[in-house]
Amino acid sequence: MNCGEPDEASCQDALAEVWLFLDNECDPARREAVQKHLDGCGTCLEHFGIEEHLKALLQRKCSGEHAPTELKDRLRSSIREAVLSKAEITVEHGPEGTSVEVRTKKTAAE
């Protein structure tokens, strides 16, 4: 994918750097090259717009909020149940401490 301009960044290069561009993390020269490419390439500009919208959405939905305690507890419980349903656990207490062994349960096919 390329706009045909040899002095501009190729579409592939520009799109590979969209996240760095959005985060303002690329050096000024590279930022200018990507901006120039986006200004002149409708296909990349459209893709850039989608990426920009996605990043804004992620920031709005995930910025600093924490999952409710009830949700975390339900997730831990679900994960624990899923693991325990597929594992055999042996706990042994001895003079050197407690040891725990976890093995995958054998299925009827094994």
Side-chain angles (χ1 to χ4, degrees):
M1 203 170 24
N2 188 313
C3 291
E5 298 293 330
D7 60 333
E8 291 186 33
S10 72
C11 294
Q12 190 173 20
D13 290 342
L15 293 176
E17 295 190 50
V18 164
W19 290 103
L20 292 173
F21 182 86
L22 287 170
D23 290 335
N24 210 10
E25 293 180 357
C26 48
D27 65 72
R30 192 68 199 134
R31 182 170 182 74
E32 183 179 335
V34 172
Q35 181 67 59
K36 184 177 179 184
H37 181 87
L38 291 173
D39 289 344
C41 179
T43 303
C44 285
L45 187 59
E46 181 180 333
H47 186 79
F48 170 74
I50 292 168
E51 297 284 350
E52 189 173 33
H53 179 72
L54 177 62
K55 184 175 179 188
L57 176 66
L58 287 171
Q59 186 172 5
R60 274 196 320 273
K61 297 296 181 184
C62 302
S63 62
E65 291 185 30
H66 300 284
T69 302
E70 298 81 22
L71 174 61
K72 288 191 239 179
D73 291 343
R74 284 196 320 264
L75 286 172
R76 279 188 196 105
S77 178
S78 293
I79 292 168
R80 188 176 297 115
E81 287 175 27
V83 169
L84 291 176
S85 71
K86 296 179 180 186
E88 292 179 359
I89 300 171
T90 305
V91 179
E92 294 181 2
H93 303 281
E96 294 182 21
T98 303
S99 68
V100 178
E101 183 179 350
V102 180
R103 291 182 306 268
T104 303
K105 282 185 180 176
K106 295 189 186 223
T107 62
E110 295 177 310

